[in-house]
Amino acid sequence: MTDGQEPPGHAGQESARRESAERTARALAETVRRLQAAAARSHAEARTRAAVDLATGILAERLDLPVAEAAAHLARLAREAGVPVLALAADVAGLQAPGPVPGQDPAPEPEEGPGRSAPALPPVGPLEAGPPVAPALAASPDLERAAGAVLDQAAAALGVRAVAVWLRLPGGALALAAHAGLSAEEAADWARVPPGVPTPAQLVVGGGAELWPGDPGADGPSVGAGAARAVLPLIDRRRRRGALELLWPAAGPGSAPVLGQAQRRELCALADLCTTLLGPPPEPMAPEQAAALLDGLLTPALLLAPAVRAERIADFTLLRVSAGFRDPLGRSRQELEGASLLATYPAACAAGLLDRLLRAYETGVPSTAEPVRLAFREHGPAVPVAVLLSVVPLGARMLVCWQLEDEREEDEHTALLRQAQRLARVAGFEERPAEGRIRWSDGLRELYGLPPDAPPVPLDRLARHTHPDDRPAIRRLLDTVRHHHRTASAVVRLDRPDGTHRFTRVIAEPVVDEAGRLVAVRGAYHDVSAQHWTEVALGATRERLADSEQESAERAQLALRLQQAILPAAPPPLGVTGLHAAVRYRPAGQRDRVGGDWYDVLVLPDRRVLLAVGDVAGHGVGAATGMVALRHALRGLAVTGAGPGRLLAWANTVALREPGQITATAVCVLLDPAGGELRWARAGHLPPIRLGADGAQVLPLPHGVLLGALDGAEYEEHTARLDPGDVLLLYTDGLVERRDRPVEESVEQLLRAAGAPGPDLEQYLDRLLELSPADTDDDTCLIAVQTE
């Protein structure tokens, strides 16, 4: 090796040493910078705490408050003024704003001004005299650090082992926003509490009073099972946004810590300080979002905003009214929007509406479908109304929905009507030619044989869906309705896509405006296929008997068989209603005098019982077919829930529209087994008779003309009550009618001769038929119903 030459590998070793030295230098520099930043941050935080401490001391001295309450007051003032706590503290202390803390948001740096001296802080002692953590907590930007500070102070003074800060989420759930002293596993298990779980924090956030160790409700399910606890609400602008929960170590019964008034007051001040760290409340939705929300709801609703007066919510403003909302006093949407709730619904607010809104706003807990009674008044005394009320907080707004009692009854009536239409195979329609709009009720597409999503068929195209022979009848119907503005009907054969057809009665009536112009056509389709085939069968039977020498006798026999086939031999079982019923039908003695007497006993969907008897004028097949039409009409219409007077009015319309325009007498009774109340109406028929412990009583005669005698006739209703054991008797005139005396005398004679009904109704009806004084040789129908 020559002089001046380095050993092999020496250059590489030197390079590695230099790189190692550079890495060490960089690491040391980074450590120095980190320590310098930590020192600067610590120094700045100390100056920040000094500014807040100084301002807290000034407020404590001037307002004569403990330190914790003075710190809470400082934080509350800053929140209401919308400025940082540090900036307000600098103003109160007369200092310049502190500079930013490294690694944190800019914060004021306390500096004394010229000629100024820092006021002395009040002495800091144990918790009762004011916790030293309170001023620093007011300036803390970190809720988790604040929870730790609260735990440090409360643990030293009161023995608290853990702290939890709960934040209410939209919808009523609680989130564990911060905690100290809890294990990671326990905090994860209680990270979110669903709505409806009755934890102590949920009770307090939901509007309950603050809880202290030993209070009822403080031992509910929550973190730290079995531990004594205190739960304090976090209230921001009158809204409960969460709760502060402090836990003591679990101990035996009766060992809960006892807190004095001063200690409780200090802890409430700490809760108020924690409120400032929850962050801003949710921003209210924009007006266009509110409009879209309300217009998208199927339920009519109001959107309200709180009206704050003298630092408290005294009223609400109606920001938005949904398009479907119906004001109970008939005011328009434009009149309501922007108005005061108290001025718009003063009686309803006095009846509890305002209290419910305030409770929901403060707690954030919605109430849905709550039955309440509110009052609405325009002129005169307020009228209480049953209302189904829902109140849902939406950030800083309130969504209110209510449904009045008459609207619910209207929905129930619609459901009953839909059921009646289905049973009677009736479907309605409405056409508005000027608007090009057609509405069909349920069942009409099925009648046409169309799929559920098929468009409605206008009346102009009805002929395309019917048998060619029926098209002239359709033209006459349309001409009568559209040009003469009169109601018309026609029976046509609807041709269905599957090749079958339905015999259908189409009824249409015009709707005209004040000027006499046609604006709409309304009507119904009634599937009469079953009735048509019955008529066809009857017609075929009549034709077969036409050439027979026994035609008259066979026609009477046919009518008798039809009547016997329609009228049941026994009433339906009524055991579930608490009633007992018996029926009798006695045909006329002369076989050629078969009439149209009929009866019916039917349990309705609402558990009331329909009782009816009637007598169609005439004899033979015509009277029997008329009886069939009236009886079926009453059975189908009774499920609508209408009263007996309305049922007879509809039956009168059926009688007027039947071929040959039949006339008949009838009495219709609706009996409520639960209370024994009965309502009845009559159409020229003999009244019912009540047989009770005080004897027989012929019920009064409501006004009502014969069915089929007068178009648009109205029928009066009467009411009465059956006591337990009473018997209600309905009958036709074949039981008592005589040529030589009034019917009233025959009724009185028969009841006197028959005596009391007794427990056996079947035997009693047989006795009435046996003692009947009638001499007209007419059909007789009897119904007897006895209450338990």
Side-chain angles (χ1 to χ4, degrees), residues 388-742:
L388 205 61
L389 180 68
S390 294
V391 179
V392 180
L394 293 178
R397 308 287 171 82
M398 299 292 292
L399 184 67
V400 179
C401 306
W402 70 49
Q403 187 178 31
L404 303 182
E405 185 176 27
D406 57 349
E407 295 173 351
R408 298 203 304 273
E409 291 178 351
E410 182 178 341
D411 293 341
E412 295 172 358
H413 178 74
T414 301
L416 284 175
L417 183 58
R418 186 177 293 112
Q419 182 184 17
Q421 291 175 341
R422 180 181 60 82
L423 294 175
R425 302 190 67 81
V426 176
F429 70 90
E430 179 186 70
E431 288 191 16
R432 293 186 175 272
E435 303 174 14
R437 189 176 66 173
I438 304 175
R439 296 174 58 193
W440 276 10
S441 68
D442 296 340
L444 198 45
R445 288 179 176 81
E446 180 185 357
L447 187 60
Y448 269 85
L450 299 175
D453 57 348
V457 177
L459 288 176
D460 287 340
R461 300 182 183 177
L462 175 60
R464 303 181 186 179
H465 294 262
T466 59
H467 193 278
D469 294 345
D470 296 332
R471 291 170 185 173
I474 296 175
R475 287 195 294 270
R476 288 193 297 271
L477 180 144
L478 295 177
D479 182 68
T480 302
V481 173
R482 293 182 172 175
H483 299 291
H484 300 287
H485 295 177
R486 295 201 305 268
T487 301
S489 65
V491 177
V492 300
R493 287 163 286 184
L494 282 180
D495 289 334
R496 294 156 57 91
D498 59 2
T500 63
H501 57 266
R502 296 278 189 178
F503 284 85
T504 306
R505 175 179 283 112
V506 183
I507 306 172
E509 65 175 2
V511 179
V512 297
D513 59 15
E514 296 179 355
R517 294 186 296 267
L518 183 71
V519 296
V521 179
R522 296 171 180 162
Y525 287 72
H526 184 197
D527 186 356
V528 294
S529 300
Q531 182 178 344
H532 170 78
W533 292 118
T534 301
E535 293 174 355
V536 169
L538 290 173
T541 304
R542 287 197 297 268
E543 291 177 3
R544 287 196 300 270
L545 297 176
D547 297 332
S548 173
E549 296 179 355
Q550 304 287 331
E551 178 180 359
S552 179
E554 291 178 1
R555 284 173 60 85
Q557 183 67 22
L558 175 64
L560 177 61
R561 290 178 179 174
L562 177 62
Q563 191 174 43
Q564 292 173 341
I566 295 299
L567 297 179
L574 302 178
V576 294
T577 64
L579 300 175
H580 301 289
V583 297
R584 287 292 185 274
Y585 169 67
R586 181 180 67 184
Q590 299 181 26
R591 298 175 64 83
D592 61 345
R593 287 183 55 80
V594 174
D597 285 23
W598 56 275
Y599 61 87
D600 202 4
V601 179
L602 178 64
V603 180
L604 300 177
D606 59 1
R607 299 181 66 85
R608 293 185 301 171
V609 178
L610 170 71
L611 307 171
V613 296
D615 185 359
V616 178
H619 299 86
V621 174
T625 54
M627 173 269 293
V628 172
L630 288 180
R631 184 175 182 272
H632 285 348
L634 275 180
R635 287 180 70 90
L637 294 169
V639 297
T640 63
R646 185 60 177 157
L647 293 177
L648 289 182
W650 285 334
N652 180 60
T653 302
V654 173
L656 289 169
R657 300 297 186 270
E658 278 295 310
Q661 191 174 343
I662 63 173
T663 59
T665 68
V667 62
C668 180
V669 178
L670 286 178
L671 175 58
D672 184 3
E677 183 182 7
L678 58 91
R679 298 164 57 194
W680 76 93
R682 72 180 191 102
H685 200 85
L686 298 173
I689 298 173
R690 184 179 68 85
L691 303 163
D694 55 350
Q697 177 190 5
V698 178
L699 298 181
L701 286 172
H703 174 72
V705 300
L706 293 172
L707 299 179
L710 181 64
D711 196 3
E714 296 183 357
Y715 296 86
E716 183 183 8
E717 293 184 4
H718 279 185
T719 61
R721 183 174 298 277
L722 294 182
D723 295 328
D726 285 358
V727 174
L728 184 69
L729 179 66
L730 281 69
Y731 53 98
T732 58
D733 56 7
L735 180 68
V736 292
E737 189 176 28
R738 288 186 62 88
R739 299 181 180 90
D740 58 351
R741 70 178 68 170

Side-chain angles (χ1 to χ4, degrees), residues 238 307-315 358:
R238 291 183 55 85
V308 180
R309 302 188 186 102
E311 300 185 358
R312 59 181 298 270
I313 300 174
D315 195 0
L358 289 174

Side-chain angles (χ1 to χ4, degrees), residues 47-377:
R47 287 183 297 168
T48 297
R49 286 195 299 271
V52 176
D53 288 348
L54 191 60
T56 302
I58 293 173
L59 292 178
E61 182 181 28
R62 292 179 180 177
L63 301 179
D64 193 21
L65 294 174
V67 174
E69 294 187 26
H73 187 67
L74 176 67
R76 186 163 51 250
L77 289 175
R79 184 169 66 248
E80 293 173 355
V83 298
V85 176
L86 301 182
L88 182 60
D91 288 341
V92 171
L95 304 175
Q96 295 182 0
V101 177
Q104 296 184 3
D105 294 334
E109 179 178 343
E111 290 185 7
E112 297 185 7
R116 297 177 183 172
S117 60
L121 292 176
V124 176
L127 184 61
E128 293 83 346
V133 73
L137 182 59
S140 174
D142 187 349
L143 186 60
E144 194 72 32
R145 289 169 60 189
V150 170
L151 176 60
D152 291 342
Q153 179 64 30
L158 297 175
V160 173
R161 77 160 181 87
V163 170
V165 180
W166 301 98
L167 177 65
R168 183 184 59 80
L169 302 177
L174 290 182
L176 187 59
H179 64 89
L182 298 177
S183 66
E185 182 180 358
E186 190 173 23
D189 291 341
W190 289 91
R192 185 178 183 276
V193 180
V197 179
T199 66
Q202 281 281 27
L203 297 178
V204 171
V205 174
E210 56 195 26
L211 296 175
W212 300 101
D215 286 350
D219 56 351
S222 186
V223 292
R229 71 191 70 241
V231 184
L232 311 175
L234 303 182
I235 302 176
D236 182 11
R237 296 178 179 88
R238 291 183 55 85
R239 304 198 76 170
R240 299 198 177 201
R241 298 191 56 203
L244 172 64
E245 187 167 358
L246 302 101
L247 288 81
W248 281 261
S255 60
V258 178
L259 303 178
Q261 290 299 323
Q263 294 171 319
R264 294 188 179 192
R265 193 165 56 249
E266 299 290 351
L267 291 178
C268 289
L270 292 179
D272 199 9
L273 287 171
C274 289
T275 304
T276 65
L277 303 177
L278 292 179
E283 290 293 330
M285 64 180 65
E288 58 273 11
Q289 291 177 312
L293 171 66
L294 260 67
D295 292 341
L297 292 176
L298 297 178
T299 302
L302 301 169
L303 187 66
L304 310 180
V308 180
R309 302 188 186 102
E311 300 185 358
R312 59 181 298 270
I313 300 174
D315 195 0
F316 287 87
T317 302
L318 278 65
L319 291 182
R320 183 81 179 180
V321 178
S322 68
F325 181 80
R326 291 196 328 187
D327 177 53
L329 304 181
R331 289 165 293 195
S332 66
R333 180 179 180 181
Q334 290 73 21
E335 294 177 274
L336 297 176
E337 290 184 347
S340 158
L341 181 72
L342 276 172
T344 306
Y345 300 112
C349 289
L353 177 60
L354 183 61
D355 291 340
R356 285 178 168 81
L357 291 175
L358 289 174
R359 184 169 63 249
Y361 183 85
E362 293 173 1
T363 63
V365 178
S367 63
T368 57
E370 180 184 6
V372 298
R373 293 191 69 82
L374 300 180
F376 298 97
R377 175 176 59 194

